[in-house]
Amino acid sequence: MSFDDAVVTAVTAHMNGDHADDNVLIARAFGHPAAASASMIGLDADAGRWRVADADGEHELVVPWPGAPLAERSQIRRAAVMLYRAACERLGVPAREEHAPAPHGHGGPEGVPDGFARRLREATWSDHGDSEGATFMSDIMRGRSGLREYAELAAQHWFLYEALDDAARLLAADPLLAALHPEGLGRVGALERDLAHLLGADWRAGIRPVPATAAYAGRIRDLAGEGWLAGVVAHHYTRYLGDLSGGQAIARRVAGRFGLDGDGIAFYDFAAVGDPAVFKNSYRRVLDELGERLDADEQRRMLDEVRAAYRFNTDVFLDLGAAQLSP
C-alpha cells in the first residue's frame, strides 16, 4: 500500500523538522552505526526510508515498521514512535521523557505524559496529511513545480499572516499568551521582502488570494473580532509550529532548487526568536497551561478549531492546484 504524496510529504517534513535526532538514532540502530546525519525521504505501509550520511558517503536505509504492514495513515505516528523506542533499546540509550513509559495511572495510551499540547498534537495527527488530491505542496517539495508556483504560495501566506499577525496582537494583553508571539515572530515583513525579491517592487498589485485563502483569513479575523483567544491560538499554533518544523524542510528544498539565500526564503528564518527547538518547547508549555484554564467544552472547541485550520490549509493547496490548471 502506498500513501498519498501529501501524506508522505507531511510525515517526512514532520520527522525531519521535529525529530531530526530521532532519524539519526534510527539510522545508527538499524544499519549505519556511524551515521552523522539522517533524513526521512519516504515511507509506505511496510517501511520508512531514510537518506543517511557517514564517513563513507550517503546511503539509503529502509527500515520495516514494527507491526507492518500499516493499514491506514493514522497508524504512522505510532509506528514511528515504536521504531524510535526500538532504536533506543538497541543502542542502550534512554528514550526521552516524551516517549518514555509513564508511571502507572499517568500518561496517554502510548505511555506519553498527558498535557494539552500533547492532546492537540495527537488528536490532529491524521489531519497533518489529510489533503488527498492537494498535490500543490508535494509538487514543490519534489521539484515538479517552478519558481512561479513557489511565489504564488508566498503570496497566499502574505494574506494569511496579515490576518494572523494582526489577530496575535490580542495575545499581548494576556500574561500567559503573550509569550506565544514574541517580537520577531511576525511574518508579514519577511513575506514582503520575499515577494519583492520574487515578483518585483510592484508585487502587491499582482497578487490576490484564492477563495480558500480569503475564507481562511476571514475566519482568523472573525475569531479576533469575537475576542476568542483560544481560537486565535488554535490558528497561531497550527501555522507557526508548522513553519518552525516542516517549514524548515521546505526552506531547505526551495533554497537548493532555486538558489535562494535570505530574500526569497526570509519567511522561514526565525533567528529572531532564538533556537527553534527551545521556542517550540516553551510554546507547548504555554499550551499546557492554557489547557488547564479551559473547561472540557472549551478544550474541545479549540481542538475543533485546530482541525479547521488544517482543513483551510488543505483547501488553499487545492485552490492553488486548480489555478495552475486554469488557462
Side-chain angles (χ1 to χ4, degrees):
M1 172 184 171
S2 296
F3 292 104
D4 181 87
D5 277 355
V7 173
V8 175
T9 298
V11 173
T12 55
H14 172 73
M15 287 294 292
N16 295 330
D18 271 8
H19 299 289
D21 291 342
D22 297 0
N23 290 334
V24 175
L25 285 174
I26 290 168
R28 290 174 178 171
F30 294 101
H32 298 282
S37 66
S39 58
M40 193 177 198
I41 58 173
L43 66 118
D44 57 25
D46 297 307
R49 297 198 332 272
W50 283 263
R51 181 178 293 112
V52 183
D54 60 19
D56 295 324
E58 288 195 346
H59 321 273
E60 183 169 322
L61 173 68
V62 178
V63 185
W65 299 121
L70 308 183
E72 55 189 29
R73 68 170 179 268
S74 61
Q75 296 175 314
I76 297 173
R77 182 187 184 280
R78 179 171 176 80
V81 170
M82 292 173 67
L83 195 59
Y84 162 77
R85 289 182 186 165
C88 289
E89 185 174 352
R90 280 195 179 201
L91 297 173
V93 300
R96 63 181 175 276
E97 183 180 358
E98 178 186 353
H99 291 316
H104 180 70
H106 295 78
E110 295 178 7
V112 181
D114 284 322
F116 190 52
R118 174 186 180 278
R119 182 181 172 199
L120 284 175
R121 185 173 178 177
E122 292 198 350
T124 59
W125 175 256
S126 62
D127 297 88
H128 290 232
D130 191 13
S131 50
E132 286 80 359
T135 62
F136 184 88
M137 195 67 240
S138 60
D139 285 348
I140 288 177
M141 292 296 287
R142 291 170 179 262
R144 295 193 291 249
S145 294
L147 192 60
R148 181 178 68 85
E149 287 76 21
Y150 172 67
E152 186 59 42
L153 177 64
Q156 302 310 305
H157 281 158
W158 184 82
F159 290 107
L160 290 175
Y161 282 86
E162 186 186 41
L164 183 59
D165 288 358
D166 189 54
R169 294 174 187 170
L170 295 177
L171 306 181
D174 187 296
L176 171 64
L177 302 181
L180 298 181
H181 198 83
E183 185 177 356
L185 186 68
R187 294 293 88 191
V188 172
L191 283 163
E192 291 176 350
R193 283 175 52 198
D194 288 346
L195 289 167
H197 181 81
L198 295 167
L199 300 176
D202 61 346
W203 61 269
R204 183 64 185 87
I207 66 171
R208 62 182 180 85
V210 296
T213 297
Y216 196 170
R219 176 61 180 169
I220 293 169
R221 290 194 174 94
D222 287 346
L223 295 175
E226 294 173 19
W228 183 34
L229 294 184
V232 172
V233 172
H235 289 272
H236 193 277
Y237 156 78
T238 304
R239 295 299 324 178
Y240 273 110
L241 261 64
D243 299 332
L244 284 156
S245 299
Q248 301 308 297
I250 296 171
R252 290 191 294 271
R253 187 67 57 86
V254 169
R257 177 165 170 73
F258 301 119
L260 299 174
D261 182 17
D263 291 350
I265 53 171
F267 171 72
Y268 298 103
D269 182 0
F270 288 91
V273 299
D275 186 331
V278 172
F279 179 74
K280 287 188 292 183
N281 286 336
S282 174
Y283 198 111
R284 292 177 183 122
R285 286 194 293 271
V286 173
L287 288 178
D288 285 342
E289 292 184 53
L290 174 62
E292 290 176 2
R293 78 184 197 188
L294 301 178
D295 63 26
D297 287 342
E298 190 74 349
Q299 286 189 9
R300 282 192 292 270
R301 187 183 175 205
M302 182 176 168
L303 177 57
D304 287 343
E305 198 61 39
V306 171
R307 288 186 170 129
Y310 282 116
R311 288 194 298 272
F312 276 122
N313 191 55
T314 296
D315 289 345
V316 170
F317 290 156
L318 289 169
D319 278 1
L320 285 169
Q324 283 183 278
L325 299 177
S326 300

